Amino acid sequence: MRTSAYTTVRPRYGFSDVVGLLFRETLLMVVIFLVVFAIGTAAVLTLKKTYTATASVYAGAGQEYVYQSRVGQIDPSQPLEADAVAGAEARILGSLAVKRRAIRAVGADTILGPRAAGTPAEKEAAALKALDSGLGVGVTPGSAIIAVSYESDDPVRAAQVLNAVVDQYLVQRRQIFQGSTTPAYAAQREAFEDDLTTADAAYNAFLESNDIGDFATFKASLAASYQTTLAEALSLRAQLNQASQRLATLEAQLAQQPAEVVLQQDLNISAQDQILTLRTQREALLSRYTPEAQPVRDIDQQIADLQAYVATGTTVGPKEVRTGPSTIFTEIETTRITAAADRDGLAARLAVAEGQLNQLRARLAEMTRLESTNANLAGNRETLTTLVRDFQQRESAARANSALVAAGADNVNVIERAEAPTRGTSLKAPLLAVVFLFAAFTALCVGLLRVFTRRGYVTPASTGRTLDMPVLAVAPMKAR
């Protein structure tokens, strides 16, 4: 008995199959597009125009943006860059506190307009939400200008609200930067003045007991003398080593040089002189005899014998030798004596320098023993003096700064206040384009969903691709 197994195979479509099937769903896609586009268009057409009021605020770098430590030396650093100051002021301008002050200044009904309804708390919450969504604060990199804007459906209300925000921002920042540290600075200054009086008395008693006028100056001069003497001793030690090595080298060279050398030496060259004499006689005989004559031949024989004797190399030798003292030996000996004297002089100077070093080292040890006590007393006195001067300056500066901030003298100025805008803006055109694209995309997605959820084999190409079998013929579907 044969059994059969059945499996479900989804149709496999190509690009041309998908395009062809999409054309079959054209009516459905058009209906979906029109429905979505109509709904989106109706929603967009209900939007109202918005009016944007703008204002500009200049925020320069002032004293509040220069770092100053509360305790210690007053050493103000460089102020922040223009865009950094503008960014900090923009955060203050857009803070929640400024928005609440603006709402209380103009009222929640002014911000909400006809939409105002509910309890005062609910109105304030709604106004805060509307103000937060409509208010825009922006800065430009490298610029100290803060651009402020507010969007509303009423141009007059937009300008009124924006001006209220700017005014309350100026009030808020003055309250933030107006300090109240003057009494605290004065109290600290008085306390440090009392401590300084006690420290002065203790330090003066220490100097008198150790018979020291100025500890720092005395020790500095002593240390300078020690360093100079130490450098001189090191230099003398190096020169002494160099002189000793030079003397040893000269003594070694002197041992290799002879005390006397040959000054002049006369050579014995009588054989060469005899040859020249015989040649002269031969020339004289040739004037009377022929070369084959016996007297000429005898002289030639004598010349040949003498030349053979000279060729042996034993005919030339010293005849007279004169000796004397060597100039190199004398020069080296003179240099050696000078080098020995220099070495002895350097050794004596080095002994004196080392003695001075020992004395200076002992005196420095005594000063080092007293240094910790002096450092504690002097450091305490200097610290208290610096703190008293510091708090005097801070007290005066804080008093003047509080008065100036309260009077409104700061680095922020309103360049342009808000006025009611005459032209509104609407996003209907770009929103309609977005609605059109969304409707087209939705219709396309519905068409593809219909194509890929269809059951059965719709096209010959997909049938052959799915079953991996060739399609030989296509018959029209029989009507039911």
Side-chain angles (χ1 to χ4, degrees):
M1 181 178 180
R2 298 179 60 183
T3 60
S4 300
Y6 298 94
T7 60
T8 301
V9 180
R10 298 187 62 84
R12 297 171 58 185
Y13 297 111
F15 179 75
S16 58
D17 299 331
V18 173
V19 173
L21 293 175
L22 283 177
F23 274 109
R24 297 184 181 183
E25 305 296 336
T26 302
L27 179 60
L28 177 62
M29 294 170 60
V30 169
V31 172
I32 296 298
F33 171 79
L34 292 177
V35 171
V36 174
F37 184 73
I39 296 173
T41 302
V44 169
L45 293 179
T46 59
L47 296 177
K48 297 181 180 180
K49 283 188 176 183
T50 58
Y51 296 88
T52 304
T54 59
S56 299
V57 178
Y58 171 79
Q63 183 180 358
E64 58 271 13
Y65 289 102
V66 179
Y67 171 75
Q68 292 182 356
S69 60
R70 291 189 176 90
V71 180
Q73 183 67 27
I74 298 179
D75 187 14
S77 60
Q78 294 294 329
L80 298 178
E81 299 292 336
D83 50 357
V85 174
E89 293 290 340
R91 294 296 298 272
I92 298 175
L93 198 154
S95 64
L96 184 62
V98 172
K99 295 175 183 177
R100 290 186 183 277
R101 295 177 68 97
I103 293 172
R104 292 165 186 171
V106 298
D109 295 338
T110 303
I111 297 176
L112 296 176
R115 297 175 299 171
T119 63
E122 293 176 350
K123 289 182 180 180
E124 184 175 354
L128 181 61
K129 184 177 180 181
L131 183 58
D132 186 65
S133 62
L135 182 64
V137 181
V139 294
T140 304
S143 175
I145 305 299
I146 303 176
V148 193
S149 63
Y150 181 72
E151 293 183 358
S152 178
D153 54 359
D154 187 356
V156 177
R157 186 166 62 249
Q160 183 180 1
V161 172
L162 184 57
N163 287 328
V165 170
V166 173
D167 293 337
Q168 296 305 315
Y169 152 70
L170 296 176
V171 175
Q172 177 70 15
R173 73 176 307 278
R174 288 170 187 170
Q175 292 182 356
I176 292 175
F177 293 115
Q178 183 179 1
S180 58
T181 58
T182 304
Y185 285 149
Q188 288 295 322
R189 175 183 56 79
E190 294 174 357
F192 284 127
E193 285 178 350
D194 296 338
D195 294 341
L196 179 59
T197 302
T198 306
D200 286 339
Y203 186 66
N204 291 330
F206 165 76
L207 294 178
E208 291 177 359
S209 63
N210 291 280
D211 194 16
I212 299 174
D214 188 351
F215 189 92
T217 304
F218 181 74
K219 185 181 178 183
S221 61
L222 193 62
S225 300
Y226 178 80
Q227 293 296 330
T228 303
T229 307
L230 178 61
E232 183 180 0
L234 293 176
S235 177
L236 289 174
R237 189 175 290 110
Q239 294 178 16
L240 179 60
N241 292 334
Q242 182 181 2
S244 300
Q245 184 63 34
R246 185 167 180 265
L247 182 60
T249 303
L250 290 174
E251 289 176 351
Q253 293 178 352
L254 190 62
Q256 297 176 0
Q257 294 293 330
E260 294 183 353
V261 294
V262 177
L263 300 179
Q264 183 177 357
Q265 182 177 1
D266 297 334
L267 298 178
N268 184 8
I269 57 173
S270 59
Q272 286 82 352
D273 294 340
Q274 292 178 8
I275 292 174
L276 294 176
T277 303
L278 291 175
R279 286 181 178 177
T280 302
Q281 292 177 2
R282 182 177 180 279
E283 294 297 330
L285 290 176
L286 287 177
S287 62
R288 294 179 295 170
Y289 300 99
T290 61
E292 289 80 9
Q294 188 62 37
V296 177
R297 295 176 62 188
D298 293 339
I299 289 177
D300 290 339
Q301 184 62 39
Q302 292 177 7
I303 292 173
D305 293 339
L306 286 173
Q307 289 179 345
Y309 176 65
V310 170
T312 60
T314 59
T315 59
V316 180
K319 181 179 180 181
E320 183 178 359
V321 179
R322 297 179 183 178
T323 61
S326 174
T327 56
I328 298 177
F329 182 86
T330 303
E331 182 179 357
I332 294 176
E333 177 65 18
T334 303
T335 307
R336 186 193 68 80
I337 294 173
T338 304
D342 293 341
R343 182 198 61 181
D344 295 340
L346 290 174
R349 291 176 59 189
L350 180 60
V352 174
E354 289 180 348
Q356 294 177 352
L357 280 177
N358 293 332
Q359 296 177 0
L360 292 173
R361 192 177 294 111
R363 298 180 70 182
L364 281 174
E366 179 67 18
M367 297 300 295
T368 302
R369 186 180 65 83
L370 299 174
E371 184 177 8
S372 59
T373 305
N374 177 79
N376 291 333
L377 295 175
N380 188 23
R381 179 175 174 271
E382 183 179 358
T383 301
L384 291 173
T385 303
T386 303
L387 288 174
V388 168
R389 186 184 305 110
D390 181 18
F391 277 98
Q392 285 177 347
Q393 296 177 0
R394 291 178 184 275
E395 181 182 356
S396 301
R399 185 181 296 109
N401 182 65
S402 298
L404 291 174
V405 172
D410 52 23
N411 58 306
V412 174
N413 296 311
V414 179
I415 299 177
E416 180 183 4
R417 299 189 66 85
E419 296 182 359
T422 58
R423 301 179 61 181
T425 58
S426 176
L427 298 177
K428 292 181 180 180
L431 290 178
L432 286 175
V434 172
V435 169
F436 179 83
L437 294 177
F438 179 75
F441 178 74
T442 304
L444 180 62
C445 291
V446 172
L448 291 175
L449 182 64
R450 284 280 298 170
V451 168
F452 288 107
T453 56
R454 185 186 296 272
R455 295 184 178 182
Y457 304 111
V458 182
T459 62
S462 65
T463 302
R465 189 180 298 107
T466 303
L467 300 178
D468 197 14
M469 298 174 58
V471 178
L472 302 179
V474 177
M477 182 177 294
K478 183 178 180 181
R480 295 181 179 179

